[in-house]
Amino acid sequence: QQVTCEQSGKNLSNIPTNLFQNVTKLSLKNNKITLKDSDKKILQSFINLTELYLNENMIAVLYNNSFYNLTKLVILDISNNHINTVHKAAFAGLHQLSVLNLSYNMITQLDSDIFSSLKSLTVLNLQYNFLKSFHIKSSFKLIKIVLAGNPWTCSCDLLDLQIWLTTSSVTMENENSTTCTPPNNKEKFSIKTAAIQSADCKIGQASLENTETSTSAIKLRSSALLTTLTPDNITGNNGTNAELPLLGKSWTFLAGVLGFVLSTTLLILAAIKCPTWCRYLISYSHRRLEENDSEMFEQEFSADMSSFPTVSGTNDEDPIVIFEKIHAFVPGEDGFIEDKYIDSYETEES
C-alpha cells in the first residue's frame, strides 16, 4: 500500500516531525531544508519510504549516513541544491536504491567508491555539475548515466571513464552534447571519442610510480640507518658493547689535515707574538740623572729659598727647618719624582 505525503513549497527549514511513520512517498521539494542532523534522525524513522524528493532545497554537504536506515528506498532526488561535497559513506544503507539524481549541483569531484554500496543502482544523473574527471571502476554497473553539462577535460584523468563507457553496456544520455575540452584548447570533442592516448597515460603513471618507489626506497634506507645507530644496536641487545663499523680512510685523512692546520696556526701565532712579549719584558730600564738635571734642581731650590724672609736670632739651620715646615713634601704636587738611585753624596752637596 502506497502512502504519499506532499510537503512541497511550504518554506520549510526542517523536516516536519508530525508526518505519518508509514509514509512510502515523501515530497519535500522547493523548501529551505539543509539536511541537518535533526533532519537525518527524522528520516530514519520512515522505514517504509520508497521515494524521497529533496530537490530544490538548500543542501550543501551530504555527510556520511545521511539516509541511513532507509533500506527500502528506490528513488532519491536531490537535484537543484547547493551540494559541493559528497562524503564517501553518504549513501550507506541504501541497498535497494535504483535511481539517484544529483544533477544541477556544484559537485567538483566524485569517486566511484561513493556508489560502491549501491548494489541495485541502475540510473545515475550527474549532469550540470562542475566535474572535470570521474575515476570509475570497471566493476561499476549501470543501465543509464547522464553526464552532460560538466566541464570535462580531455586528459589522462578522463581515461578511466572513457574506457568504461566504451566497454560496458551502459547508455549515456545526451551523448552528442557530452563533450570534453583538451588542456589549453577551446575545441570540444565527444567524451567517448576524444583522442586520449592510453600509452602516454601509462608512461606518465609508470614514471610517477617510479618516483614514488625511489622516494619510498630513500625513506627505507634512512630508517635502516637510524635503526643501526640506535643505542640498542650500539651497545648490543645483551648489554655488551657491539663493534661499531670502522671509519673510512677519508675520516683519518681529514683528522690529520685538521691537526696539521691547527698546529701550523699555533706556531705562526707564537712566532708573531714572541718578539712583542720579549720587548714588554725588557722595556723597563733605569738610568742615572744627568748633571744638567741636578744643577737645574739646585737653581730652583735656591730661588725658592730666597723668597722666604730670614728670622733673626737663629743659626744657619733655621731656614731649613722653616722650609721643611712650610713646604712639606706631598707626593705628586711639585712634579718631581723621587729616585732612589741618586747617590747620597749628591744629596749632601745640594
Side-chain angles (χ1 to χ4, degrees):
Q1 185 178 0
Q2 186 175 2
V3 180
T4 303
C5 183
E6 184 67 39
Q7 296 289 327
S8 303
K10 293 186 177 181
N11 202 25
L12 299 174
S13 58
N14 299 299
I15 298 176
T17 58
N18 56 351
L19 302 178
F20 293 109
Q21 298 296 318
N22 60 345
V23 62
T24 58
K25 181 181 178 180
L26 177 60
S27 178
L28 295 167
K29 67 179 181 179
N30 193 17
N31 284 292
K32 297 181 180 180
I33 297 173
T34 58
L35 205 60
K36 298 178 290 187
D37 290 340
S38 58
D39 297 328
K40 291 190 291 184
K41 289 180 180 180
I42 295 172
L43 282 177
Q44 290 177 8
S45 62
F46 304 136
I47 58 176
N48 294 322
L49 199 63
T50 58
E51 298 181 25
L52 176 61
Y53 297 91
L54 286 168
N55 48 316
E56 300 179 25
N57 276 278
M58 300 181 67
I59 303 172
V61 180
L62 290 179
Y63 294 100
N64 292 332
N65 303 315
S66 293
F67 309 97
Y68 189 73
N69 207 34
L70 301 180
T71 56
K72 296 181 180 181
L73 193 65
V74 176
I75 299 175
L76 176 59
D77 190 351
I78 355 173
S79 60
N80 288 280
N81 278 273
H82 306 284
I83 300 173
N84 53 60
T85 305
V86 181
H87 289 198
K88 189 174 182 179
F91 305 110
L94 302 180
H95 304 299
Q96 300 297 324
L97 188 66
S98 178
V99 179
L100 176 59
N101 191 351
L102 288 168
S103 62
Y104 293 94
N105 280 288
M106 302 177 181
I107 303 172
T108 57
Q109 187 176 1
L110 276 178
D111 198 290
S112 60
D113 291 337
I114 295 175
F115 312 108
S116 59
S117 62
L118 305 178
K119 304 299 182 180
S120 302
L121 189 64
T122 58
V123 179
L124 178 61
N125 192 342
L126 294 173
Q127 67 177 346
Y128 290 99
N129 280 278
F130 298 131
L131 294 170
K132 293 184 178 181
S133 62
F134 184 29
H135 295 283
I136 195 167
K137 296 180 180 180
S138 58
S139 59
F140 190 50
K141 303 296 181 182
L142 285 178
I143 295 176
K144 185 174 71 172
I145 190 169
V146 188
L147 300 172
N150 286 281
W152 302 106
T153 303
C154 302
S155 63
C156 293
D157 293 333
L158 202 65
L159 184 61
D160 293 341
L161 178 60
Q162 188 182 68
I163 294 174
W164 180 77
L165 289 172
T166 54
T167 57
S168 65
S169 58
V170 65
T171 300
M172 184 170 61
E173 191 173 299
N174 301 325
E175 182 176 343
N176 295 330
S177 60
T178 307
T179 58
C180 63
T181 305
N184 303 322
N185 197 340
K186 295 182 179 180
E187 189 176 359
K188 295 183 178 180
F189 300 91
S190 174
I191 200 173
K192 289 182 70 173
T193 60
I196 302 175
Q197 301 296 330
S198 59
D200 297 339
C201 296
K202 290 179 180 178
I203 291 173
Q205 187 177 5
S207 61
L208 180 61
E209 289 177 355
N210 291 333
T211 304
E212 293 178 352
T213 304
S214 60
T215 305
S216 60
I218 292 172
K219 290 181 179 179
L220 287 174
R221 291 176 184 175
S222 301
S223 61
L225 181 60
L226 291 174
T227 303
T228 56
L229 294 178
T230 54
D232 292 338
N233 293 330
I234 292 175
T235 58
N237 294 329
N238 56 359
T240 59
N241 293 328
E243 294 183 359
L244 293 174
L246 296 177
L247 296 175
K249 294 183 178 180
S250 58
W251 292 98
T252 306
F253 177 75
L254 180 61
V257 170
L258 290 175
F260 176 75
V261 170
L262 291 174
S263 60
T264 305
T265 305
L266 292 175
L267 290 175
I268 293 173
L269 289 175
I272 293 173
K273 293 296 183 179
C274 276
T276 306
W277 294 337
C278 292
R279 284 196 299 270
Y280 286 155
L281 292 175
I282 64 174
S283 61
Y284 184 75
S285 60
H286 306 286
R287 63 184 180 86
R288 294 177 180 273
L289 291 175
E290 296 180 357
E291 295 180 358
N292 295 332
D293 296 337
S294 61
E295 292 176 358
M296 187 183 297
F297 177 74
E298 291 176 359
Q299 293 175 0
E300 292 178 356
F301 180 75
S302 60
D304 292 338
M305 290 295 299
S306 61
S307 62
F308 290 99
T310 56
V311 181
S312 60
T314 59
N315 54 14
D316 295 334
E317 295 179 356
D318 291 337
I320 297 175
V321 174
I322 294 171
F323 171 76
E324 290 177 354
K325 291 180 179 180
I326 295 174
H327 295 278
F329 178 75
V330 179
E333 289 185 357
D334 54 0
F336 292 99
I337 300 173
E338 181 182 1
D339 195 341
K340 297 180 180 181
Y341 292 90
I342 299 176
D343 293 338
S344 59
Y345 72 91
E346 292 181 358
T347 307
E348 292 175 358
E349 290 178 359
S350 64

